[in-house]
Amino acid sequence: MMKKKEICFAFVYDQGKWDQYWEGTNLITNENIGTFTRSTYAPMIAFGLTDKLNVLLAAPYMKTNSTGGQLAGAHGFQDINVSVKYEAIKKDFGKHRISALAVAQFGTPMTNYLSDYMPYSLGLGTQELTGRVIVQYEFNKMIYVRASAAYVWRGQTEIERPYYYANGSYYTTFMDVPSAANYQAIVGGWALRHNLRLEATYSVLNCVSGDDIRRWNMPQPTNKIEYTHAGFFAQYYFKSIKQIKGFSLVASYGQVLEGRNMGKATSVSGGATYQFTF
């Protein structure tokens, strides 16, 4: 949480790559794609309206390409996301602390990108409304365990063809994008006099409806996407250096372990944050 009138600017670069993907639940290799790469440039802002109420804004820029086939990648701004985070509970019991937060997030496409061009599309091309609950237990301000659960409601996306098949024939230019449930567990801790934060993460996403990619066809926004993902995160704060106090560096590594209708991706990211009182 940002304290009242605190503001944090962040910029993170993430690159995800895969050369295999799940066609339904079957893991396959497709030489018409080869190795697929998605690069994300993500500027973000967080601001403390009060000590218990924060507002966050993110507007990622995407770039996609692959080494095989004849299809070109895409690039441009994806979706703008606005979030409100509220700290409902923060209680200390000696060396123990319990926190509970609620997050509401709204996302909508920034540009008129083609959503029905997967996996090269920048996004799903639809509005999203997410509700998330976060609970954290911390011991002695050193070690913590955090869990969250979210429901992501999604609307429709408009495509450039008058017919598509998704467990049935549809003569329309609109596709229903499946909503999803997301769960996450994190174990973290502090080191180097609270300058270094380390986390191990595990997350699961399951769409509540949708169809599978048909044999050797391209994916589409109606697909039922599922995955389990594990990763590591590190952040170093330059608290002791006066000239750059407020800056931090972040880095992460992640791997999709199991999936459905998506790539078996490995991702690495790095970036920086700057936090100060406004």
Side-chain angles (χ1 to χ4, degrees), residues 10-250:
F11 182 84
V12 177
Y13 171 75
D14 179 271
Q15 186 179 85
K17 286 190 175 185
W18 52 262
D19 56 14
Q20 293 180 300
Y21 67 94
W22 283 277
E23 189 180 71
T25 56
N26 297 317
L27 185 62
I28 68 170
T29 300
N30 188 342
E31 296 299 333
N32 286 322
I33 296 177
T35 298
F36 177 84
T37 302
R38 177 180 296 272
S39 300
T40 305
Y41 306 82
M44 295 171 280
I45 301 173
F47 180 68
L49 292 176
T50 71
D51 288 352
K52 290 185 171 293
L53 185 64
N54 287 186
V55 176
L56 302 90
L57 177 68
Y61 183 92
M62 300 280 189
K63 185 176 181 180
T64 62
N65 61 76
S66 68
T67 59
Q70 303 298 318
L71 295 177
H75 60 88
F77 282 99
Q78 189 209 45
D79 302 341
I80 185 168
N81 290 277
V82 181
S83 305
V84 178
K85 180 165 60 173
Y86 176 68
E87 186 179 63
I89 298 172
K90 186 177 181 181
K91 295 289 185 180
D92 291 331
F93 306 92
K95 294 183 178 182
H96 310 274
R97 171 176 288 178
I98 301 292
S99 305
L101 303 93
V103 182
Q105 177 177 319
F106 175 74
T108 190
M110 291 184 66
T111 57
N112 190 29
Y113 61 80
L114 180 61
S115 61
D116 189 26
Y117 186 45
M118 299 173 71
Y120 300 92
S121 60
L122 303 182
L124 294 171
T126 184
Q127 287 75 36
E128 290 188 347
L129 184 61
T130 303
R132 183 180 299 274
V133 176
I134 305 169
V135 178
Q136 178 172 289
Y137 164 76
E138 186 174 10
F139 176 72
N140 201 26
K141 297 183 179 180
M142 290 295 294
I143 301 172
Y144 56 88
V145 178
R146 183 164 65 247
S148 71
Y151 184 80
V152 185
W153 174 89
R154 296 177 176 135
Q156 291 186 324
T157 185
E158 188 171 8
I159 60 175
E160 294 186 351
R161 49 177 166 148
Y163 166 84
Y164 64 91
Y165 184 90
N167 292 332
S169 297
Y170 292 85
Y171 294 88
T172 176
T173 58
F174 289 92
M175 286 182 175
D176 291 323
V177 183
S179 298
N182 174 231
Y183 308 96
Q184 187 177 59
I186 293 173
V187 177
W190 293 90
L192 303 179
R193 297 182 179 181
H194 269 238
N195 288 318
L196 178 63
R197 179 162 63 104
L198 299 171
E199 293 183 349
T201 66
Y202 183 83
S203 59
V204 176
L205 182 137
N206 291 315
C207 284
V208 298
S209 62
D211 62 327
D212 288 325
I213 303 172
R214 290 190 293 163
R215 188 66 175 163
W216 298 111
N217 275 12
M218 292 181 67
Q220 61 188 31
T222 62
N223 291 153
K224 181 181 179 67
I225 294 176
E226 299 177 346
Y227 66 74
T228 58
H229 178 276
F232 299 94
F233 171 85
Q235 184 171 18
Y236 184 82
Y237 294 87
F238 294 91
K239 298 177 182 178
S240 58
I241 305 176
K242 184 177 180 181
Q243 290 82 356
I244 55 174
K245 186 177 181 180
F247 274 98
S248 78
L249 297 177
V250 297

